[in-house]
Amino acid sequence: MTSAEINFSGRSTSARQSGQAAVILVLLLVLGVSAIIYSAINPAKIAIENDVKTANALALAKDALIGYATGQRTAGTYRPGELPCPDNNDTGNEQSTCDTPGSRIGRLPWKKLGIPDPRDGSGERLWYAISDVFKNSTQTGVLNSDTPGDFTVSGTTPGTSVIAIVFAPGPVLDGQNRSSSTAAMCATTGTTLARNLCAENYLEGGNQDGDAAFTSALATSTFNDKLLLITRENFFPAVERRVAQEIGSVLRSYYLANGYYPAAAQFPGNTSTASTYRGYLPTTTCAPVPTPTFPTWFAANNWNQYMVYAVAPRCTPNIDTSWVWVGTQSICALSCLGPIFGLYICLMPNSIDGSSLGCNNTSASTSYLTVNGIGGSIESIVMPASYRLGTQPARPCGAASDCLEDAENADAIDNYTYVKPVRSGTNNDSLIVVRP
């Protein structure tokens, strides 16, 4: 081998080594850049996934609470719109009572709600606060569409008269101790409990102090609560439907038992009045017409002031009358003369014309009710009037226009024609067809 061959061979080996080193260097650079990009993207991806998990858990909790408030429970003194007390022992079950402000904030009672244990993106159980009148034990006040919530929320998700709040507490922050094995005096309850039962170890910004003022804000190093508010706008539509459906069931049973519906009560009263076909639901009637048997919570919580009732005249009874001498004028009298020597002679309901049963009271009218967009011969409807809007007067209503927003439903002269309301910021009515 010549020296030239040796020199050439040496240069070839060095070139190959330099090329390999360059390839390795490029590969290392690519891997390094990829690692930097991955480390930047992956936490963001994880954060998004955690936010989605939190949002889903909050939504599940809200739906479950509204479902509980509208459940078909008839035992005891249950009222539509009631919510369970919080879980203050971290067992998933509600407390038997929550009569103090501090006891009305705790974990979501997910077992009572019948849902899987909902957790936020950090793996923490959800917390929950409930207004006083809406709690199921001990009952206070009356609960209907105008019942305000206790809570005010400031910040990024503001609200007033908020009924309940569900919280995602997020990961532990500096100063919080979520140990289940050590105890401390809880600021919210004023009692010594395991640290994992104290609200201040999960909630911040005044959300933990047990009063009626709460805060919503973007996450920082000192605040990471996420709140979902239950307000009258997203709570009462479902509750009112539940009330109207149960009242509709009462009216259907009444019709099947008697062959007619009661006449409506004139605003603002609640006594069935002959020839009145739109008004309040009658909680009292005049013999021989029997009174509908409404649930005990209905009149006790003034729901009768929020349920407008309309009935086809032909589906009410044709009542025979007679003149009767009475000492005082009765609310059931159609008319009275007197006094004559201290007595009145009044035209009183006497008996029901059997030929008018089964919506055959054509002497009153041959028409059924009509509802725009709904076919069939409609015999009766219930219209939940919901909470007051704008300048509407306080309940009870003095006229249909004090309760209802749609002009067709509230016309001064009842033409037995109605429209199905479209709920909005200026119309919060709804309509349930009782029969058929």
Side-chain angles (χ1 to χ4, degrees), residues 29-55:
L29 288 172
V30 170
L31 291 174
V33 171
S34 298
I36 293 172
I37 293 173
Y38 180 79
S39 64
I41 292 176
N42 199 49
K45 180 182 178 183
I46 293 173
I48 292 172
E49 291 174 348
N50 287 343
D51 286 344
V52 170
K53 184 177 180 181
T54 296

Side-chain angles (χ1 to χ4, degrees), residues 151-205:
F151 303 144
T152 299
V153 180
S154 60
T156 54
T157 310
T160 58
S161 297
V162 176
I163 294 167
I165 306 172
V166 184
F167 305 86
V172 64
L173 297 178
D174 287 345
Q176 293 179 338
N177 184 336
R178 299 179 181 179
S179 170
S180 61
S181 58
T182 59
M185 178 72 72
C186 290
T188 306
T189 63
T191 57
T192 300
L193 297 170
R195 293 180 185 273
N196 71 318
L197 302 180
C198 296
E200 61 264 31
N201 289 319
Y202 295 84
L203 307 177
E204 310 86 43

